[in-house]
């Protein structure tokens, strides 16, 4: 039948945990404590509306704890509703297996206050930075939240709140 969905592999009801939750949470607590130690030494933390947000390099630090790296793709010009800017994609690579385990795409557009007059290369670079931090966020936000930080990357918060 053409409208019938074919299920390949195991049905969802057979999902099993790969490791005990208490072990996973204990490891995440160690990672969260290490992250807090690193972040506490930052000379200029990103604080907006009384909450601390992590920058791309902070997300990369958490990624290193788990053997993860980001691969960013080429930034390409885009126009959305008449607004020009850049779009980039990024993927998270598990260094142990070489597999892509997550990803994201992000934009940097000229309708943003900080980006309306910047040269193209800066828009392109910020689109890649945002895609990289977002891709790590998609995989590791739960660890960052355990550490007490907001799960949205700082680069996505530009213009939402004033930065202290």
């Amino acid at each position: 039948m053409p409208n019938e969905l074919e299920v390949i592999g195991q049905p969802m009801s057979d999902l099993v945990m790969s490791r005990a939750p208490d072990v996973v949470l204990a490891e995440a607590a160690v990672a969260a404590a290490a992250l807090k130690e690193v972040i506490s030494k930052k000379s200029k933390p990103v604080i907006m509306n009384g909450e601390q947000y992590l920058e791309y390099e902070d997300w990369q630090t958490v990624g290193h704890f788990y053997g993860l790296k980001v691969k960013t793709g080429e930034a390409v010009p885009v126009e959305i509703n008449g607004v020009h800017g850049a779009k980039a994609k990024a993927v998270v690579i598990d260094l142990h297996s070489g597999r892509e385990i997550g990803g994201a795409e992000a934009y940097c557009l000229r309708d943003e206050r900080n980006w309306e007059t910047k040269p193209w290369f800066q828009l392109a670079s910020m689109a890649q930075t945002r895609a990289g931090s977002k891709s790590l966020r998609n995989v590791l936000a739960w660890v960052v939240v355990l550490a007490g930080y907001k799960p949205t990357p700082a680069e996505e918060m530009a213009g939402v709140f004033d930065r202290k």
Side-chain angles (χ1 to χ4, degrees):
M1 303 192 88
N3 292 330
E4 207 169 297
L5 177 64
E6 179 182 354
V7 177
I8 299 173
Q10 304 252 346
M12 292 296 283
S13 62
D14 288 345
L15 283 177
V16 295
M17 290 183 281
S18 61
R19 297 184 308 139
D22 59 330
V23 172
V24 173
L25 288 173
E27 290 173 355
V30 171
L35 178 63
K36 286 179 86 159
E37 178 67 23
V38 170
I39 300 298
S40 72
K41 295 177 181 166
K42 288 184 81 161
S43 61
K44 294 181 180 179
V46 177
I47 308 290
M48 289 181 260
N49 201 32
E51 300 281 358
Q52 188 163 359
Y53 293 82
L54 302 187
E55 297 171 283
Y56 186 28
E57 61 271 16
D58 305 324
W59 286 100
Q60 289 174 311
T61 298
V62 182
H64 280 285
F65 296 162
Y66 291 92
L68 304 176
K69 288 273 199 176
V70 170
K71 177 181 170 184
T72 54
E74 178 182 1
V76 296
V78 293
E79 181 180 341
I80 300 171
N81 296 327
V83 179
H84 295 271
K87 172 186 173 181
K89 293 181 181 181
V91 294
V92 177
I93 308 290
D94 179 343
L95 293 176
H96 306 293
S97 68
R99 291 183 319 142
E100 292 182 6
I101 63 163
E105 61 182 38
Y107 299 84
C108 185
L109 301 172
R110 292 208 181 275
D111 64 348
E112 299 176 58
R113 184 173 35 126
N114 294 336
W115 298 100
E116 57 194 2
T117 62
K118 302 286 190 205
W120 162 253
F121 78 91
Q122 290 181 346
L123 270 72
S125 180
M126 180 51 80
Q128 289 174 316
T129 297
R130 288 176 177 174
S133 60
K134 182 69 170 194
S135 65
L136 286 165
R137 180 260 186 260
N138 287 343
V139 175
L140 296 167
W142 66 282
V143 177
V144 167
V145 169
L146 283 174
Y149 303 107
K150 299 301 284 183
T152 304
E155 293 83 7
E156 290 185 28
M157 297 301 294
V160 176
F161 298 114
D162 288 332
R163 180 178 173 170
K164 285 186 183 177

